[in-house]
Amino acid sequence: MGVGRGYVLQNAGSTGTFSNLSSHSAQFGFQLQGGDQKYFNPFVGVSYYGYFGYRYLYMDQFAHAFENAASANRYSFGIGANLLVNIYSKFRRKGRRLKVYNYGVFGGLLAIANIWSVRFSGMSASYVRNNANIDAVFGVSMRFDKFKLTFGVHVPLANQTRLVRVPSSSPVRSLEIGDNYQSAELFMNFIRIF
């Protein structure tokens, strides 16, 4: 789950100027990662991975009332790398098999490409915009033998906005989507280690 922020721009009349009316929205979704991790010793390692994420931007009543914004979806693709630091590591041998338990922190960068798809009420077409960004990624991890649980945050480093404008005979209306530190996302990953 992530918390994001969007802006709704309402036409102020025939002058063509816009008033900036702020709307806060929440993002919900999932992410999939696949990659590898290598440890140099029991406490320090690196991981690198491919990333796919989907987020549904829940539009609040403000966005519905002014812009008839029905839904916004974000599809993300990227590659990333993290530095892994274990604060506690324990190895237990059970027969021929080695069991690993550790608790630690991680931090790194994720190069990401986003595709935004926005649909407005009463319109059959979706409007698509895209952008690329670099996210700072950090959090905590817990490994229990073959399973690992991570809690973390993705924070976009570049301040970017994407404007979705619908041309029509009625006053022009727009939805501006922000991709910056204010749209940071919380995440939880359940990882299976092979």
Side-chain angles (χ1 to χ4, degrees):
M1 178 186 115
V3 177
R5 182 176 181 185
Y7 298 98
V8 174
L9 302 176
Q10 181 188 15
N11 195 330
S14 61
T15 61
T17 59
F18 291 88
S19 58
N20 196 1
L21 304 173
S22 182
S23 171
H24 299 276
S25 300
Q27 300 178 57
F28 300 97
F30 67 89
Q31 63 188 35
L32 297 171
Q33 292 179 199
D36 195 13
Q37 63 181 10
K38 301 283 184 195
Y39 277 91
F40 308 116
N41 59 47
F43 297 99
V44 178
V46 294
S47 68
Y48 41 92
Y49 56 93
Y51 174 88
F52 169 76
Y54 167 77
R55 299 287 187 271
Y56 173 78
L57 183 65
Y58 175 77
M59 301 302 224
D60 61 11
Q61 293 303 318
F62 184 81
H64 281 299
F66 282 99
E67 299 304 325
N68 295 320
S71 67
N73 298 293
R74 187 182 82 180
Y75 304 90
S76 303
F77 306 89
I79 55 171
N82 292 332
L83 175 66
L84 309 172
V85 178
N86 292 332
I87 298 167
Y88 170 83
S89 286
K90 184 173 185 179
F91 301 93
R92 183 177 295 164
R93 186 167 296 280
K94 189 169 186 180
R96 298 182 70 191
R97 191 166 170 270
L98 184 67
K99 291 190 171 189
V100 179
Y101 301 91
N102 58 42
Y103 305 95
V105 295
F106 63 92
L109 295 175
L110 173 64
I112 196 164
N114 297 308
I115 299 170
W116 303 86
S117 171
V118 179
R119 193 175 60 77
F120 294 88
S121 296
M123 304 186 98
S124 59
S126 292
Y127 295 85
V128 177
R129 298 292 181 268
N130 55 43
N131 77 307
N133 211 332
I134 296 179
D135 288 3
V137 180
F138 54 91
V140 297
S141 65
M142 297 168 276
R143 179 176 174 178
F144 309 100
D145 195 23
K146 296 289 185 184
F147 300 98
K148 190 173 189 178
L149 190 62
T150 62
F151 299 95
V153 179
H154 286 189
V155 181
L157 296 178
N159 185 10
Q160 299 180 1
T161 57
R162 286 296 172 258
L163 183 65
V164 182
R165 183 174 291 172
V166 180
S168 64
S169 58
S170 61
V172 176
R173 298 202 172 180
S174 303
L175 181 67
E176 186 177 278
I177 302 169
D179 188 27
N180 54 36
Y181 71 93
Q182 294 175 331
S183 60
E185 303 169 6
L186 301 173
F187 68 87
M188 178 181 74
N189 285 341
F190 179 76
I191 300 165
R192 172 74 164 100
I193 299 171
F194 297 98

